[in-house]
Amino acid sequence: MFASFLMYSIMNIINIKSNDSKESSRCMEGDKMGSWRNFLQKMHRSRHITFQFMAVLSLLTFLLISLSGCYLFPKEEEVLAPPLIEPPEITYDTTAAKKGTVEKKITGSGSFVSISQSNLFFKSRGGRLKGIYVKLGDEIKEGDIIAELDTGDLKNQIEVQKINLKKARTRYNQVKAQGGDEYSRQLAWYDVELASLQLENLERQLEEAVLRSDMAGTVVYVNNNVQEGDYVNTYQTLVRIADPRQLQLQYSGSNNSDFKLGQEVNVKIKDRVYSGEVVMTPANVPIDAPDNMKNIIRIKVEGLPEEVKMGDSAQIELVLDKRENVIVLPRSLVRNYMGRKYVLVLEDGLKKERDVEIGLETATEVEIVKGLEEGELVITR
C-alpha cells in the first residue's frame, strides 16, 4: 500500500509539471503580457509542488534504506518439520487353549517305620541308674537285660533273709519233733511264713531293678539324656525296640486331613511304583495314643521288597480328584479381580478380556468350565 501511494505521488508530480509547462507555453504565446496576479499564483503553486516532490523523495530514500537494512540481519534458518516415527507394532505371546487332564493330588515323602514297637521303662520303681547295656542297632531277643538300677546292698539283704528263712523252718521242725502243743507249732509256722514273705519282697525288688526286653527286635532309640548315677523315674523311656520285619510308610504334612482310611496311594521306591493303602489317619488314632501319633499318616505297602529297611524313604502320590478331556490352562493365566475371574485372549489381533468359569484347581493348573473354547489364543505375555 505504501509503495502504491509513493508511485501515485510521483506520477501526480510529473503530471503537474507537464501541465504547468504546457500552460506556460500557451501563456507566452497567447498573452505574454499576463497580469502580475497570475504570475504570483503560479509561483505559489510551483513552491507547493517542489515541497511535495521533496517529501516524496525523502520517503523514497527512507524506504530504500529500510529495505536495504534487512540484508544486515542474519538469514533465518529454515525450521524443519519433526520426522514422523511410526509406532512399533504390538505383539503378544500366546498359547492355544487345549484339552487335557487335570489332577488334584498330594505328593510328598515319608519314611518306613516298624508298626511293632515297644518302649522300655521301669514300671514299679525308680532309682539311680546303674547302666544301659544296649546301643542303637543292636539285635535284641525277648528277655534280654536292657538296663539296671542301683540296688545297693539288696543282694546281701536277700542272702541274709534266706538264712533267716532256714532258721525259721528249723525251729518249726524242732517244735513239731518235740511234740509241742498246737499253739507252739502255729507260732513257729508263722515265723516261717514271715521270713518267706520278706525274702520274696527283697527278690521282687531286685527283679524290678532290672529292665528286660519284652520282644525281639532292633534297638531304634536310646535315651542319652540319662547317665550312670542319674535318677530315673518310673515310665521314663530309656530304650525303644522295633520289629524290622513289620514296616509301614509314615507320612506327616499340613494336608493330613485330606487322607481317608482305605484310600489308594502310589508309593515310589527307587524308580518303582507300588500300591499302598491308608491304614491310619489322625482322625482314627485312639484318644490315649501318644502325642507323636496324633499327626501322622500310616500307609501299608503291598509287595514291599525285602531290602527296604527302617528309616528308608519313599515318595507318595495321592490323587484326590481327576478331570479328563477338559480345557486346562496354567493357573497363572487366570486373573482374579474382586471375585471376577477372566483371561486375556487375542481376537483379530486385539487384546480382549474374557470372563471364565473354573472347575478343578491345582497348585499349577485350572480347569476351564465355561468362557473359552479349544483352539482360542490366550495371551501369556
Side-chain angles (χ1 to χ4, degrees), residues 237-291:
T237 300
L238 299 179
V239 174
R240 181 178 299 124
I241 307 295
D243 186 351
R245 297 168 298 178
Q246 303 183 50
L247 300 179
Q248 289 182 353
L249 187 62
Q250 180 169 294
Y251 168 81
S252 180
S254 59
N255 44 20
N256 284 352
S257 60
D258 292 328
F259 287 81
K260 309 298 179 186
L261 285 179
Q263 285 179 322
E264 293 185 2
V265 181
N266 294 325
V267 180
K268 186 176 182 181
I269 306 173
K270 295 181 179 179
D271 298 329
R272 185 175 177 182
V273 179
Y274 297 83
S275 177
E277 179 185 354
V278 177
V279 295
M280 188 179 76
T281 69
N284 68 307
V285 173
I287 298 177
D288 58 349
D291 290 340

